[in-house]
Amino acid sequence: FTNSFIKAHVSDYGNSDIDDLEYCANVDVSSFSLFVDDDEQSHSYPNHIFKSNIKITNNGDDITPSDPSAPPVPFTVDYSPALSEGMSRKGTLVAPGASNDGQEIESNGLNVRVTLTDEFIKLRDSYDELKDYTYEFVCYITTSPPEKSSYEESVKNAVYTSLDYGKYMYTTSGVVDDVTDDNKEPTEWIKAEGINAGYIIGKGGSVKNVTINLENLDSSQFTADTKLYIVVYGRLTSLSVPTPDYFDLDNQGYLCNQGSLNTKQIVTVNADPETGEGTDVVMPDYYCVTSTAFNYKDYPEYKPKIFKNGAEMDTNKPFTDYLDKKLTPDYMYDYDMDKNGESGLAPDDFEKYEEQKNLDKNFGSVDFGLDSIKSVFDGSSDFFKFLTASIGILPTTFLTILISFFVVMLAICVVKWVLK
């Protein structure tokens, strides 16, 4: 109860000198009855609690006031099937009337759904400057929930890291968005396929689903009493500012050095172009959701995760082992290639393709319309227009000297011709 407090005021206190009373009560015991003072007359007047840093209940009902300066909850996390201890992967399907009713089924997957809240979307859509903001997150399983240990301990004890293999939008600066949301102009993005430990809720989207394959979870390290927790740790990001990699570690382990699992960021909107002053909006920055404890009665046999390119990735280690590596894409696409259904190219080949494409764009179809030598001088060709436009932008002094030079040379030629 260190530094615990309750701030409240009492309306119509009944005292001729004080109609409204505001006070702060410091709380240092587990049970605290809230009264203004020992004057029993005051007990009949309502206490309006407007701020507190502890949970307040009234006859068992939670009436803790919300902090008006706190950012909204950015996202929620749902799990399917619902998590619990002693879960079973095998069972009988109950589907009355269906052909598969009573069929024995076995599940090797857990589905994790991350959904932006209506409150966050409403805040984001309130200002043009915030329209590109969304969340990127990592999803891992650990035996140490960060709330009960520390973030460093939670990452260190990770027993599974969810890795994503998919297509990403790339600019010259790096990943911008998941291409399942084609909200960029075609000239702004290039597609690439690669492996990443992070996921992103696409621009304009609100939901991202992650599937955890239990076969990629090495259960040989568990005991019958091992409790597992799914941790979704996200951070606010703007798609208008490309990041080289989701959760890229510019300085080693900076994720683990965050002072809090849930932090806020101040974003200035409607800024004055001269002073830079505007409205400060509180946005939820880093945010963490930890599941309830769960485990299985039986786990499937461990199988390393194999990606489409044949690469084997060990998911049984902390996600930070992946985040400080630049996982280059296997194949890259641009808009034209994707539109025409053409196969992607390896990064080196794609770079050559882009160079040739730029050459063709700039010089491959140049046609100045020179049907005959006559068109050079009669003003009908694009070349003539180009030539006159080029001369038109030259400095006046240069043109004067140039014309004088031609006049002198012409005069010399005429004199020589006459004398001859």
Side-chain angles (χ1 to χ4, degrees), residues 119-128 130-131 133:
E119 292 78 10
F120 173 79
I121 294 176
K122 182 179 178 180
L123 174 62
R124 180 185 67 182
D125 295 345
S126 298
Y127 302 95
D128 290 339
L130 305 181
K131 64 182 180 180
Y133 278 95

Side-chain angles (χ1 to χ4, degrees), residues 11-73:
S11 300
D12 299 326
Y13 183 59
N15 187 300
S16 57
D17 297 327
I18 306 176
D19 293 331
D20 294 311
L21 177 67
E22 183 173 307
Y23 65 94
C24 177
N26 293 317
V27 181
D28 57 2
V29 293
S30 59
S31 179
F32 179 81
S33 297
L34 186 61
F35 296 112
V36 177
D37 54 25
D38 292 333
D39 181 359
E40 294 204 3
Q41 180 185 5
S42 68
H43 297 175
S44 61
Y45 296 96
N47 292 267
H48 301 278
I49 304 170
F50 61 89
K51 190 172 185 180
S52 178
N53 60 358
I54 59 175
K55 183 178 180 179
I56 310 296
T57 59
N58 181 35
N59 294 325
D61 296 329
D62 187 356
I63 59 170
T64 307
S66 59
D67 184 354
S69 64
V73 173

Side-chain angles (χ1 to χ4, degrees), residues 90-239:
K90 302 177 181 179
T92 303
L93 181 64
V94 179
S99 59
N100 56 356
D101 182 31
Q103 178 180 333
E104 295 299 315
I105 57 174
E106 181 177 312
S107 173
N108 287 332
L110 273 175
N111 295 316
V112 181
R113 181 177 61 185
V114 181
T115 307
L116 296 179
T117 62
D118 292 339
E119 292 78 10
F120 173 79
I121 294 176
K122 182 179 178 180
L123 174 62
R124 180 185 67 182
D125 295 345
S126 298
Y127 302 95
D128 290 339
E129 294 92 335
L130 305 181
K131 64 182 180 180
D132 287 331
Y133 278 95
T134 185
Y135 271 83
E136 53 186 348
F137 61 90
V138 289
C139 179
Y140 64 99
I141 298 177
T142 183
T143 55
S144 302
E147 292 85 354
K148 295 183 180 180
S149 53
S150 66
Y151 191 78
E152 292 86 343
E153 193 71 17
S154 172
V155 172
K156 179 181 177 181
N157 292 329
V159 295
Y160 175 88
T161 293
S162 186
L163 300 176
D164 184 32
Y165 190 109
K167 294 182 178 180
Y168 301 92
M169 291 183 185
Y170 268 69
T171 68
T172 54
S173 300
V175 177
V176 176
D177 199 356
D178 188 325
V179 300
T180 54
D181 299 295
D182 294 331
N183 293 298
K184 292 283 184 182
E185 290 297 323
T187 56
E188 293 184 9
W189 57 265
I190 301 168
K191 283 187 177 180
E193 289 186 277
I195 302 169
N196 208 301
Y199 298 82
I200 197 165
I201 299 175
K203 181 179 180 181
S206 60
V207 178
K208 188 71 174 181
N209 295 301
V210 177
T211 299
I212 296 175
N213 188 350
L214 295 175
E215 292 179 319
N216 305 143
L217 182 63
D218 186 1
S219 59
S220 62
Q221 55 192 308
F222 306 154
T223 67
D225 298 326
T226 301
K227 295 180 181 180
L228 304 177
Y229 302 84
I230 297 177
V231 178
V232 173
Y233 188 67
R235 71 172 179 184
L236 185 69
T237 185
S238 174
L239 296 178

